[in-house]
């Protein structure tokens, strides 16, 4: 087993794990079920994605890099659904019409 990704939350870990599984790599998520007690856990208990086969790590890294690039790009290209103003996902409200994005 080799750790290929440390996620900030269970959703990210699940997305990465499903992507790796979809690419034919044997991956699993650890730590997600412990998130309720995260404040009391050591760093090693963070939500992580692991590969069963260490030889697949380079392939997993490529896929994860692409995943993170896509997500950054998506964050840059957010448009308000209500007024069409361009904004970023860093905000939860539109700067122009003040509606929730
Ligand atoms: Zn708007």
């Amino acid at each position: 087993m080799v750790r290929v990704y440390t996620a900030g939350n269970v959703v990210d870990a699940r997305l990465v794990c499903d992507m790796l599984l979809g690419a034919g790599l044997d991956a699993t998520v650890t730590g997600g079920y412990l998130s309720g007690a995260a404040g009391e856990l050591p760093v090693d208990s963070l939500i992580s994605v692991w590969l069963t086969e260490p030889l697949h790590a380079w392939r997993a890294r490529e896929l994860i890099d692409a995943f993170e690039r896509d997500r950054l790009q998506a964050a840059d290209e957010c448009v308000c659904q209500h007024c069409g103003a361009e904004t970023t996902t860093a905000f939860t409200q539109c700067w122009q019409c003040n509606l929730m994005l």
Side-chain angles (χ1 to χ4, degrees), residues 80 83 94 97:
C80 176
C83 71
C94 175
C97 67

Side-chain angles (χ1 to χ4, degrees), residues 79-87 93-101:
V79 172
C80 176
Q81 294 175 359
H82 308 287
C83 71
E86 289 184 24
T87 182
Q93 272 185 310
C94 175
W95 59 270
Q96 182 163 279
C97 67
N98 280 330
L99 291 171
M100 298 300 286
L101 294 170

Side-chain angles (χ1 to χ4, degrees), residues 5 9 13 20 22 25 27 31 33 36 41 53 55 59 68 77 80 84-86 88 92-93 97-98:
Y5 188 74
N9 57 65
L20 296 176
L25 306 180
Y33 57 94
L41 295 169
E53 175 51 73
L55 292 174
R59 178 66 182 139
E68 291 181 327
E77 294 172 1
C80 176
E86 289 184 24
T88 79
T92 56
Q93 272 185 310
C97 67
N98 280 330

Side-chain angles (χ1 to χ4, degrees), residues 45-67:
S45 298
L46 285 172
I47 305 162
S48 302
V49 180
W50 297 77
L51 275 185
T52 307
E53 175 51 73
L55 292 174
H56 292 162
W58 64 272
R59 178 66 182 139
R61 197 61 248 171
E62 282 183 348
L63 291 164
I64 291 166
D65 284 349
F67 168 81

Side-chain angles (χ1 to χ4, degrees), residues 14-32:
R14 226 29 276 175
L15 279 173
V16 168
C17 186
D18 287 348
M19 177 187 68
L20 296 176
L21 290 171
L25 306 180
D26 193 12
T28 187
V29 173
T30 62

